[in-house]
Each structure stands twice: as structure tokens, then as C-alpha cells.
Amino acid sequence: MTLPYGDVGLVMTQHDAPTGNIASSTAGVVVRSSIRSDNNRRAARAALPAAPLLIFLLLFLVIPIGSVVHTAISDGEIAKALPLTTQTLQSWEGDELPAAAIFMTLGQELEAAGHVGSVRPLARRLGYELTGGTSAILSAQRALSEDFDRADPKAWKAQLIRADAAWGQSGLWSIIKQHDSHYSAFYLRWATGFAVKIEADGSLSQETSYDFRSIYLRTILISLVVTGLTIVIGYPVAYVIANASGRTAAILLFFILLPFWTSLLVRTMSWIVFLQTNGVLNNALAGTGLTSEPLPLLYTRMATIIAMIQIQLPFTVLPMISVMRAIPANHVKAARSLGAGPLLAHATIFLPQAVPGIAAGGLLTFVLCLGFYLTPALVGGPSDQMVSFFIARFTNEDLNWGLASALSVVLILGAGIVALPLARQIARHSSDRI
């Protein structure tokens, strides 16, 4: 039977509909992909001016920090010099001395390490964790150069124990067993005060080490004091500069920026001249009769804080000035016109709007103070040295790069934990004002 034209059209439409939907969907995907690619190209072109900065940060910030973190967790001296010994000791229970065959394996690896120059790094690394560990390795190396029956494992054992009694106790062997990997958290534990040193018999050592927890606490307290005092001193200065006329503001700002024309070392040395026993201040006090003998001003906590305040003051004041200048003057005038006194108007209207500048300056000063090294080292006493002083000591004098890197990592993490949330709050507060 022949269908009417209308029915034929209906049938054709039903058969053609899926093909039309597929074509439409494919075209939509192509259009969206094209729009996405165009947006990506535009974003890439917009980011091109920042490419030099990004490359600079990658080369001189990200990669160095990554290298420091890698050094902090690298601990391969033992595994590198004694690979077979550390593997063999994994089955050792630790109840009694290892088998004589393990003594023989260790002795042979010590001889091989002597040929490649890795004995001293091994001895220094064991000395970090074991009292007399350095001496045990070096004594063993000397003893193994003597004549004895090298085919008999018991002769190797007797020779090592005769060289140093530590080889006849479990403490040294337990340390070697623990370090079968080239990476560990030993230096990080040491930098945070959780690592312990042991005796050859496995008991805790009575040797005193650096109290890094107290050093970190001292660093934080000094940084907080300096930050608080720079805010108290810098706030009135910033307020005067922000509200002064053009010439007056320029002159005051010139004096704020003037210290940047002199190096940090020169500014610190000037404080030594000013505060020393026969310095300017003591001579002035003696000349006016206020003191009968020189005051011990130099190499004190007070000298450290004063010198740091003078150095950090511009970093605190400049962010305050930039924010205070953006505060409309008619806000305070409106509060005064409504009956508020000058102090009340300032405290309730001006000060809340200046908080982002105060917080930014304080945060910048606090983070910079955490890394101070030169000023406390020159004008402070032994009990005033901060974390950076010990990082420099372990890097340049003790050559303990693992511990120096671990201290740096802890310092970076601590600064980041403090800085990132505060920076986010500052940015949010600033956006709310806008």
C-alpha cells in the first residue's frame, strides 16, 4: 500500500534525525576545542612578559631549594661504603654479635673504601650517631693494613675487635644495619632535636649536642621583638610621611631610604663603633657624668635587637606608607564632623584601613629577621646567635652539609607556615577594601 506524502516525510525525518544530532554534536566539540586552543594561546601570549621572571625564579629559587631539600634527606655514606654489610645485617637479630663472616665482609669493604677515598666520610657519618664512631672506623682501617689470616673469618673478627672495642658491641652494628638506604630522615630529626647519640653498647650517650629547639625558639623570639618594635617605631613615621606635603614627604622618605645606600656590613660595623667599650655612646655617657665606667653594651641581646631594628625599619615603613596614602582623608574628617575626637577617629577609621600595610610590613620584617646571620654574629653574644649562624657554621667550618640543609629546610618550612596564611589574609583584606 502506498503511504501518503506526509507519512513518507515523517518516516524520512525519523531516519535522518540521528545523523543530524551526531553531526551537530561533532561540530560543537570542534568549536569548543577551537575556542579552548585560542584561549590557551592568548593566555600564553599574555604570560610571555613574565617569562624572564619565571625562569629566574626557577633557576635561583626553586632549583636551589630543591637541592637543599635533597641534601637534607641524603644519607648514603654508610650504604655507599658498606653495601654488602648493610644487606647482610638485615637478617641479624641484634641479640649478640654478628657472625664472623659479616666481620669479614665489613673488613673487605673497608679496604675497598680506602682505595676509593670513602672511609673518612663513613667515619665522620658514624661519628654523628655513635660516640667514638669516627675512631672505630679509622682504627679498623689501620688494623686491616696489618698481616693476619685473611682466609679465616674469625681472624677478621678478632682483628677488628682488637682495633677498637666498639666492634665487639652491638651499638655500632645496629647503626650500620639501619642505614641500608641512601636516604633517611636522620638530619631532619637532628635539626628538630629528635635525634639521639648512643654509646657502643647501645645506651644513650651523655655527650651534649646543640639544643636546636632552644635555638629556633630564640630566633623566633628575637624576630618577634624586632618586628613589634619596628611596627611601633615605624607607624608614626609612616603616618607623618603619608600625610605630609610634597617636599616634606620627599625629605622624610629620603632619610628612610638612605640606609639602602650603605651595605649591611658597614651599617653593622657602625654599631660596633657606636656601642663598644670606648665607643661613641659610652664616651658620651662618661662625659656627661651619667656613668662612672663603660657600660657593657656590645655583644648583648639588646645590641642585636637595636641593630636589627635599624636595618629592618625601612622594610616595615614602606608598605605602611603605600597603604596609608591610599586611605581617603575625608573618612577621618567625616568622623571628626560627627563628634569623634582625633584619637578616636584615628583608631576607629584610619587604623583599621591601615592594617594591610602594617601586616605586610610586619610580615616582611619577621620573615627577614628569621634569616639574619651577619648582625647577630657581629654585635651579639654567644647566646644571641640565631639559626642562620649555625647553618653557616655547619656549611663552612664543620662541613656537615646534611645538617646545614636540614636546618635550612626547617627554617623555610617554619617561615612558610607563618607567612602564607598571613599573606592570604592580607590579600583578602586588601581586596575587601577595594
Side-chain angles (χ1 to χ4, degrees):
M1 184 174 70
T2 303
L3 294 174
Y5 288 172
D7 294 335
V8 173
L10 179 60
V11 172
M12 291 176 63
T13 301
Q14 290 174 347
H15 283 284
D16 293 345
T19 304
N21 291 339
I22 293 173
S24 176
S25 176
T26 303
V29 170
V30 172
V31 170
R32 287 193 295 271
S33 177
S34 177
I35 293 174
R36 189 180 301 110
S37 299
D38 185 59
N39 290 337
N40 291 337
R41 285 194 296 270
R42 290 182 178 180
R45 286 196 297 269
L48 280 178
L53 175 61
L54 296 177
I55 295 173
F56 179 85
L57 292 176
L58 176 65
L59 293 177
F60 299 103
L61 181 64
V62 177
I63 293 179
I65 290 179
S67 176
V68 169
V69 173
H70 180 267
T71 305
I73 61 176
S74 296
D75 189 15
E77 291 88 348
I78 296 177
K80 179 182 177 181
L82 309 173
L84 295 178
T85 304
T86 54
Q87 292 179 10
T88 309
L89 283 175
Q90 299 311 306
S91 59
W92 175 55
E93 298 295 335
D95 297 332
E96 52 188 24
L97 287 179
I102 299 180
F103 278 85
M104 182 176 179
T105 301
L106 182 136
Q108 292 173 343
E109 288 190 319
L110 279 179
E111 289 182 326
H115 295 302
V116 297
S118 58
V119 170
R120 289 196 175 276
L122 171 65
R124 183 170 59 248
R125 173 60 186 84
L126 280 174
Y128 295 154
E129 206 164 354
L130 179 79
T131 302
T134 301
S135 174
I137 294 294
L138 297 180
S139 300
Q141 185 189 28
R142 288 192 297 269
L144 293 176
S145 63
E146 301 173 359
D147 292 331
F148 62 95
D149 187 2
R150 297 180 178 273
D152 184 7
K154 294 182 179 180
W156 288 84
K157 179 178 180 180
Q159 192 75 357
L160 287 173
I161 295 177
R162 186 178 65 82
D164 196 300
W167 294 109
Q169 297 176 302
S170 61
L172 178 54
W173 292 100
S174 63
I175 293 176
I176 296 175
K177 176 183 177 180
Q178 295 170 8
H179 294 283
D180 60 331
S181 172
H182 288 269
Y183 298 95
S184 77
F186 170 74
Y187 291 112
L188 291 173
R189 292 198 308 269
W190 192 359
T192 51
F194 289 102
V196 294
K197 199 169 186 178
I198 65 173
E199 299 287 349
D201 60 358
S203 61
L204 294 181
S205 174
Q206 299 299 319
E207 285 189 12
T208 57
S209 183
Y210 296 96
D211 187 2
F212 290 119
R213 297 182 186 179
S214 298
I215 293 171
Y216 279 115
L217 180 61
R218 179 197 309 159
T219 302
I220 293 172
L221 290 178
I222 292 177
S223 300
L224 287 174
V225 171
V226 172
T227 301
L229 291 177
T230 52
I231 291 176
V232 172
I233 297 171
Y235 183 84
V237 176
Y239 179 79
V240 170
I241 295 175
N243 292 277
S245 59
R247 182 180 295 274
T248 304
I251 294 174
L252 293 174
L253 189 59
F254 169 78
F255 285 111
I256 292 295
L257 297 176
L258 186 60
F260 289 121
W261 295 9
T262 308
S263 70
L264 177 63
L265 178 60
V266 173
R267 280 182 281 168
T268 304
M269 293 300 295
S270 66
W271 280 106
I272 296 178
V273 175
F274 186 75
L275 297 174
Q276 64 184 342
T277 304
N278 295 320
V280 176
L281 183 56
N282 269 315
N283 288 337
L285 293 175
T288 56
L290 295 177
T291 59
S292 58
E293 57 184 17
L295 298 177
L297 302 176
L298 194 59
Y299 309 124
T300 62
R301 181 71 54 86
M302 182 189 69
T304 302
I305 291 175
I306 291 175
M308 290 177 64
I309 289 174
Q310 187 267 333
I311 293 169
Q312 289 299 126
L313 194 58
F315 295 100
T316 308
V317 170
L318 292 176
M320 292 186 191
I321 295 174
S322 63
V323 173
M324 289 179 179
R325 283 180 170 173
I327 300 175
N330 55 9
H331 288 187
V332 177
K333 293 179 181 179
R336 295 293 306 276
S337 66
L338 294 175
L343 293 179
L344 180 61
H346 182 90
T348 57
I349 303 300
F350 188 89
L351 182 59
Q353 296 184 74
V355 166
I358 298 172
L363 177 60
L364 180 61
T365 296
F366 179 74
V367 172
L368 291 175
C369 286
L370 290 177
F372 256 67
Y373 159 64
L374 185 62
T375 302
L378 293 179
V379 303
S383 61
D384 304 316
Q385 303 310 311
M386 301 168 71
V387 174
S388 297
F389 173 84
F390 295 93
I391 293 175
R393 167 180 287 183
F394 291 125
T395 301
N396 300 322
E397 298 180 15
D398 296 350
L399 300 180
N400 190 346
W401 294 352
L403 180 56
S405 299
L407 290 170
S408 302
V409 168
V410 175
L411 187 61
I412 291 172
L413 290 177
I417 291 172
V418 173
L420 291 180
L422 289 179
R424 181 175 297 181
Q425 291 297 324
I426 293 170
R428 183 179 302 172
H429 197 287
S430 300
S431 63
D432 292 342
R433 289 180 63 241
I434 295 175

